[in-house]
Amino acid sequence: MAVCVAVIAKENYPLYIRSIPTENELKFHYTVHTSLDVVDEKISAMGKALVDQRELYLGLLYPTEDYKVYGYVTNSKVKFVMVVDSSNTALRDNEIRSMFRKLHNSYTDVMCNPFYNPGDCIHSRAFDNMVTSMMMQVC
Amino acid sequence: MEQGPGGAAAGGAGLLLPLSDTEQQRYSELFSLCCSPAPEGGSAPAPAAGGSKVGDLFRASQLPADTLHQITELCGAKRVGYFGPAQFYVALKLIAAAQSGLPVRIESIKSELPLPRFMALKNDIEMRYGNAAEILGVKFQIPHPILEKNSFRRSDEGDKKNSTSLFLKQETKSPPMSPMCSPPASPSNYQRIPLSYGYGKSRSKLEQPHGVSYEARHSTHQQDGPATGNYGSKSALVHSSLSRFLSVESEPQDSSNYPDDPWRITEEQREYYINQFKSLQPDLNSLISGSVAKNFFTKSKLPIPELSHVWELSDVDCDGALTLPEFCAAFHLIVARKNGYPLPDMLPETLLPDYLQPASLKPKRDCALLDSYSESLSVSQQTRDFNRTELETVCEDPTNSEPLILFDVATSIVEPTSVEEMPDKSALTQDANSDDNQALNISTTTKTIPKDFKPSQHLSVKTVVQESNTLKARPRSRSYSSTSIEEAMKKGEEPPMPPPRPQKSHSRASSLDLNKIFQQNTQAVKSGWLPPPPALPPRPFVSQQGPHHVTNTESVAQAKSSYVEFRLKEQTEQVSEIELHPQMNRAPSQTEESSPMRKEILLTQPPSKPIRRKFRSENQMLENQELTPTSSVTSSLPAVKPHLPAQNRQSSKQKRAIQTAIRKNKEANAVLARLNSELQQQLKEVHKERIALETQLEQLRPVTVL
């Protein structure tokens, strides 16, 4: 369902980015990059109020004509960005949330691996498989 | 071979297959290679070419797998289920055709074709692995679609197993290529694997039903299977060409389909892993942290991404730490990787923690169970002993309780098997009734102890021995105590007999036996000590009092103290009486004399105490021997007075009997009185202490109030 999934580190560089239509990859990368500003904006707006209570799911960051971009931030300032096709209207908010939850869980599992250094690119096969499962439905 | 088989082959294939001489020769050569043990081809099972050898050969032709598959179909091997010479020759012909670029058809082989070419691959490793070299004139290159499966090793095992199972003989197994050598599960599965590999080099799916059925059939018909030599060569070749195919066959496969594969951990491997685990983390039930594991596995010099993948696979619960089964799985994967197996994408079944858990922890659990049980056993015994001893000390003399304690310790440790012995021994040994009772109680309780453990059984054997020793020791101890007291009290004269303890019915029986033991023991100790049973020794207590010997000895210690007390109290008066008394006891003939004396004594003395003392009289008796026996006699037998006929021998015996009975009662009274006095003394002391404490308290009170 997702067209592109990206995991952005705290320092705003991508730990993992993958998109389905490979021909348009650069476009997706750009989309994700621009959405980071929106994410930061949302974090800063919410963060000042209640840091502890800040919702991890950020919701729709910004829509384009073709796509919608959703965001999710972890407590360690690692951001998940998901780009979904706008034509895929069946996607509800709950589903997006569940997808982000799955992403977060997989990311946690990656973190548990002692051979993974935080800040490295994510090469975990399990993570890949999970992302693939999220993206398969599109094509 | 000759034309014959060629013709036959043609017949078998349903067509006439002309074979040139060279072809004939070549084919026969190859056929013989493929069915090495069997010299001739043609007829029933033996001559069929070994399926795996044929497979190898075909693969060595370097034709694509589906071509080979087609060929096998066409040659009719599938139909008949084995590679008979006919099929073999047809197949070879087809291979030649295919290699020449002709389509694989029956028609194509009708023409003259060059000989099929088979790539030969030499091997030193092959030599190392044994028999194959001499058998195979042509060395085959064994492809490694096996690597597709990540279990090519199992295929080797499978071949080997297959051959061994078919031939029912243990040929030399080629040594495992890597430590991961595990027994294959079933021949049929194995058979499946190599053949599928043989024919499905580029197959994406392993299970092509067609191939499977063929292979299965092939296995069943295969009698002239591959020798282990072939296996050896195959394995060697496999090993050698591993690296070549590693890159080629990187197609991941789920190896969990196979019941047996390189991902099964053998016992030695498991031991090794467990030892390694212990070196990192001594407690086998706890976890190895991620950082520790990372440092450890980094030593394996595998690249970090691979280690990361290994961790991902093995840390099933994703907690960042490894339990023992997880550790074993990770270690196993690393070992596999080091030996060249590509890492699977999913954790193989046999490496799952659930799979590994019971096996790895089971032996420890058993040990733990045994330990805990033995501990609990000993603890329960100890507590039981403790209870018993407490009871005993309260009820009985210290001397009594001592042997009882010993008895308890021995009996409680003893297994129920030895419990039966206990009652016997108790019957044999004991003086005190209570001893027996307690022993029986112990025996019943010990029966409840679980009987399943060898260590406790061993213990039982030992403790039975101990028990017997202790039981035997008891009379000895008693005798020893008695002798010591005797020595203290007497100066080499007759052994003093403490007053017998009032006993229930069967105490007599037991004590009689004990007497014998006692006599045996004490005779050695004291030369001058005469056996009680014979009559009339110059002893305070006649033989009839023998039964009480034991009790006497038991209570000797107590008696001693009480002797002192009593003596202090009424020494002077009763000395004479006491002296008299033993004398009187010794001499039944003195009874007539005693009667008047008795009267005197009775008049003079306080009724009970001196009498009691006289019964204990050993020391007193010694001290004052001058006193007339009469008084003692009278004192001891006040009740007998009316019964005593004057100077009647016949009645004297009766008197004696009555006297002894009376004496016993008196002794019992004496003992009880002694006890009473002792307790009273203790009570006084306690009172004194209490008063002292109260005064102290009062002294302190004003202080505390302030």
Side-chain angles (χ1 to χ4, degrees):
Chain A
M1 288 171 282
V3 174
C4 170
V5 171
V7 178
I8 316 292
K10 186 174 160 188
E11 293 82 13
N12 289 333
Y13 64 88
L15 297 174
Y16 180 88
I17 182 159
R18 195 161 135 212
S19 50
I20 296 192
T22 48
E23 62 275 5
N24 260 347
E25 223 170 328
L26 195 59
K27 193 181 93 179
F28 288 126
H29 288 207
Y30 181 71
T31 310
V32 167
H33 190 263
T34 53
S35 64
L36 285 176
D37 283 334
V38 186
V39 169
D40 277 341
E41 191 188 318
K42 286 207 187 247
I43 294 172
S44 59
M46 287 161 61
K48 281 169 190 170
L50 303 150
V51 180
D52 295 338
Q53 309 257 340
R54 182 158 51 84
E55 169 105 13
L56 302 179
Y57 175 68
L58 302 173
L60 182 66
L61 297 176
Y62 92 108
T64 63
E65 61 276 14
D66 296 326
Y67 304 102
K68 294 187 203 143
V69 182
Y70 292 91
Y72 184 99
V73 187
T74 67
N75 284 322
S76 53
K77 298 287 176 70
V78 174
K79 303 151 187 98
F80 300 125
V81 177
M82 196 188 315
V83 182
V84 299
D85 202 333
S86 289
S87 55
N88 206 347
T89 53
L91 272 180
R92 290 190 309 272
D93 204 45
N94 282 341
E95 289 168 19
I96 307 286
R97 279 180 194 266
S98 69
M99 281 156 74
F100 274 127
R101 208 173 305 125
K102 280 201 299 188
L103 262 175
H104 197 174
N105 290 334
S106 301
Y107 179 73
T108 313
D109 293 341
V110 168
M111 276 305 204
C112 282
N113 191 336
F115 296 101
Y116 172 78
N117 303 316
D120 292 350
C121 293
I122 296 171
H123 295 296
S124 157
R125 288 191 214 181
F127 192 84
D128 283 341
N129 294 340
M130 190 276 309
V131 171
T132 312
S133 72
M134 278 176 25
M135 304 208 298
M136 277 298 282
Q137 295 88 353
V138 178
C139 35
Chain B
M1 294 168 200
E2 327 65 26
Q3 288 277 353
L15 50 84
L16 206 48
L17 188 64
L19 292 174
S20 66
D21 289 344
T22 52
E23 285 181 320
Q24 282 284 339
Q25 268 178 13
R26 181 85 171 126
Y27 293 177
S28 59
E29 217 181 85
L30 291 170
F31 188 74
S32 60
L33 282 170
C34 286
C35 51
S36 39
E40 74 268 306
S43 26
S52 52
K53 280 196 179 171
V54 172
D56 298 339
L57 182 60
F58 288 9
R59 273 172 254 140
S61 67
Q62 291 196 319
L63 290 174
D66 42 11
T67 313
L68 292 171
H69 193 62
Q70 268 183 309
I71 289 169
T72 54
E73 278 184 59
L74 283 172
C75 77
K78 175 176 181 267
R79 244 182 305 121
V80 299
Y82 60 90
F83 265 111
Q87 292 77 29
F88 190 71
Y89 290 10
V90 170
L92 289 175
K93 194 84 175 170
L94 286 168
I95 286 169
Q99 281 174 345
S100 318
L102 295 173
V104 178
R105 296 278 184 273
I106 298 293
E107 297 73 24
S108 51
I109 60 174
K110 288 188 180 169
S111 56
E112 280 289 334
L113 289 169
L115 288 175
R117 294 178 305 279
F118 297 99
M119 282 296 294
L121 197 60
K122 65 85 241 150
N123 250 317
D124 319 340
I125 307 171
E126 187 185 7
M127 305 312 293
R128 201 197 309 155
Y129 281 73
N131 328 340
E134 60 270 24
I135 293 169
L136 292 176
V138 178
K139 309 209 172 144
F140 304 127
Q141 173 188 33
I142 296 173
H144 298 285
I146 295 165
L147 290 181
E148 295 175 19
K149 302 295 162 182
N150 303 329
S151 57
F152 58 87
R153 167 172 260 312
R154 290 307 101 219
S155 70
D156 299 337
E157 298 286 337
D159 283 342
K160 174 184 68 171
K161 264 296 183 191
N162 190 26
S163 61
T164 55
S165 64
L166 287 170
F167 291 107
L168 300 175
K169 57 184 174 179
Q170 276 302 329
E171 304 203 358
T172 58
K173 294 186 181 181
S174 59
M177 292 165 30
S178 83
M180 304 164 291
C181 183
S182 54
S186 68
S188 60
N189 288 335
Y190 289 99
Q191 185 55 28
R192 204 163 8 121
I193 298 167
L195 289 174
S196 63
Y197 288 148
Y199 300 108
K201 181 172 176 175
S202 59
R203 261 190 234 164
S204 56
K205 291 180 191 173
L206 182 63
E207 327 284 353
Q208 297 195 357
H210 158 77
V212 169
S213 58
Y214 166 68
E215 289 146 16
R217 236 180 306 144
H218 198 101
S219 66
T220 55
H221 286 82
Q222 200 175 33
Q223 297 281 329
D224 190 7
T228 49
N230 185 28
Y231 165 66
S233 68
K234 269 180 63 175
S235 59
L237 293 169
V238 162
H239 195 66
S240 61
S241 37
L242 246 182
S243 52
R244 180 190 311 188
F245 288 90
L246 256 182
S247 51
V248 172
E249 324 282 354
S250 58
E251 200 179 328
Q253 293 277 346
D254 189 358
S255 56
S256 59
N257 287 341
Y258 299 94
D260 180 72
D261 46 15
W263 311 115
R264 191 175 289 250
I265 303 181
T266 66
E267 279 313 307
E268 328 159 336
Q269 289 173 331
R270 175 165 291 126
E271 300 265 340
Y272 180 70
Y273 300 156
I274 290 170
N275 290 335
Q276 291 295 315
F277 188 98
K278 279 183 197 165
S279 71
L280 294 175
Q281 165 66 273
D283 180 10
L284 287 173
N285 285 329
S286 72
L287 305 167
I288 289 184
S289 72
S291 48
V292 170
K294 176 181 176 178
N295 294 334
F296 181 74
F297 289 131
T298 315
K299 292 186 217 162
S300 70
K301 305 276 196 307
L302 284 180
I304 298 289
E306 297 203 359
L307 289 173
S308 175
H309 184 52
V310 164
W311 179 280
E312 234 184 80
L313 289 175
S314 58
D315 190 9
V316 175
D317 48 5
C318 290
D319 57 354
L322 297 179
T323 64
L324 179 60
E326 287 176 349
F327 178 84
C328 291
F331 210 128
H332 196 73
L333 286 166
I334 287 174
V335 166
R337 187 75 189 91
K338 290 227 81 157
N339 282 293
Y341 289 83
L343 292 175
D345 253 5
M346 274 176 45
L347 192 65
E349 243 175 30
T350 54
L351 289 180
L352 284 173
D354 299 333
Y355 184 88
L356 292 174
Q357 181 88 20
S360 63
L361 294 183
K362 190 182 173 186
K364 285 147 206 110
R365 265 191 224 135
D366 290 344
C367 296
L369 271 172
L370 280 171
D371 293 341
S372 64
Y373 268 116
S374 59
E375 283 172 9
S376 65
L377 195 69
S378 58
V379 166
S380 61
Q381 292 158 7
Q382 285 165 16
T383 54
R384 222 173 280 114
D385 296 343
F386 218 60
N387 297 335
R388 294 281 141 63
T389 58
E390 284 169 7
L391 288 170
E392 290 159 10
T393 49
V394 170
C395 305
E396 297 176 1
D397 302 331
T399 50
N400 250 343
S401 59
E402 242 177 87
L404 281 173
I405 291 167
L406 290 172
F407 190 76
D408 288 345
V409 169
T411 56
S412 58
I413 297 171
V414 166
E415 280 259 330
T417 54
S418 57
V419 163
E420 305 94 60
E421 304 175 21
M422 279 161 40
D424 304 335
K425 285 182 185 171
S426 62
L428 285 173
T429 56
Q430 249 354 303
D431 47 359
N433 194 11
S434 54
D435 285 347
D436 296 340
N437 289 336
Q438 284 169 1
L440 290 170
N441 292 338
I442 294 156
S443 65
T444 51
T445 52
T446 50
K447 275 171 189 167
T448 60
I449 297 170
K451 314 178 186 184
D452 310 333
F453 304 97
K454 282 182 190 175
S456 52
Q457 285 170 6
H458 290 306
L459 265 177
S460 71
V461 171
K462 290 174 195 169
T463 52
V464 166
V465 175
Q466 289 172 12
E467 187 194 342
S468 57
N469 292 340
T470 54
L471 289 172
K472 284 176 189 169
R474 231 175 300 155
R476 268 187 233 119
S477 66
R478 246 178 249 110
S479 69
Y480 196 77
S481 63
S482 68
T483 54
S484 64
I485 290 160
E486 291 161 7
E487 285 168 357
M489 297 194 300
K490 270 191 173 182
K491 293 172 188 179
E493 295 212 352
E494 303 82 16
M497 295 305 300
R501 187 170 279 272
Q503 292 303 324
K504 307 296 180 198
S505 60
H506 63 278
S507 63
R508 221 182 225 210
S510 60
S511 56
L512 276 172
D513 293 339
L514 189 60
N515 274 338
K516 289 175 191 169
I517 300 166
F518 197 58
Q519 292 161 30
Q520 290 160 12
N521 293 331
T522 52
Q523 270 172 359
V525 178
K526 254 208 157 183
S527 58
W529 197 69
L530 299 171
L536 328 182
R539 191 186 311 147
F541 303 100
V542 191
S543 58
Q544 291 130 0
Q545 293 170 6
H548 303 293
H549 280 205
V550 174
T551 54
N552 294 341
T553 57
E554 294 165 10
S555 54
V556 157
Q558 216 181 17
K560 205 173 182 180
S561 57
S562 54
Y563 289 132
V564 174
E565 295 164 21
F566 284 116
R567 270 180 236 162
L568 291 170
K569 287 176 188 174
E570 300 177 6
Q571 197 167 13
T572 55
E573 287 183 357
Q574 284 117 18
V575 163
S576 60
E577 293 153 14
I578 290 157
E579 290 167 26
L580 288 173
H581 191 67
Q583 289 172 11
M584 172 190 69
N585 292 340
R586 291 174 216 152
S589 57
Q590 290 172 352
T591 52
E592 62 267 17
E593 296 173 335
S594 67
S595 54
M597 295 176 209
R598 266 180 243 148
K599 288 171 194 170
E600 292 172 15
I601 290 159
L602 282 171
L603 292 170
T604 53
Q605 307 158 5
S608 58
K609 278 190 183 177
I611 294 167
R612 272 183 251 126
R613 229 177 274 160
K614 278 162 198 172
F615 283 108
R616 271 159 242 144
S617 61
E618 294 122 29
N619 30 7
Q620 298 155 355
M621 188 177 65
L622 289 170
E623 289 169 5
N624 306 309
Q625 299 241 341
E626 315 119 14
L627 300 172
T628 59
T630 56
S631 59
S632 58
V633 171
T634 52
S635 62
S636 61
L637 305 171
V640 184
K641 258 200 267 179
H643 306 282
L644 288 177
Q647 301 165 4
N648 196 342
R649 270 283 169 176
Q650 291 162 0
S651 65
S652 70
K653 286 183 187 174
Q654 289 176 359
K655 282 179 198 171
R656 221 177 296 166
I658 295 161
Q659 281 167 16
T660 52
I662 290 165
R663 246 176 259 131
K664 281 180 200 169
N665 292 333
K666 300 279 179 184
E667 284 160 11
N669 288 341
V671 168
L672 290 170
R674 202 188 317 145
L675 267 173
N676 188 19
S677 61
E678 279 188 352
L679 288 169
Q680 282 174 356
Q681 268 216 326
Q682 286 176 9
L683 183 61
K684 282 177 196 169
E685 284 164 15
V686 169
H687 272 299
K688 283 177 196 168
E689 284 172 18
R690 188 190 162 190
I691 290 160
L693 286 169
E694 279 178 4
T695 50
Q696 280 182 9
L697 185 62
E698 283 172 10
Q699 285 165 12
L700 292 168
R701 226 176 248 164
V703 177
T704 55
V705 167
L706 295 173

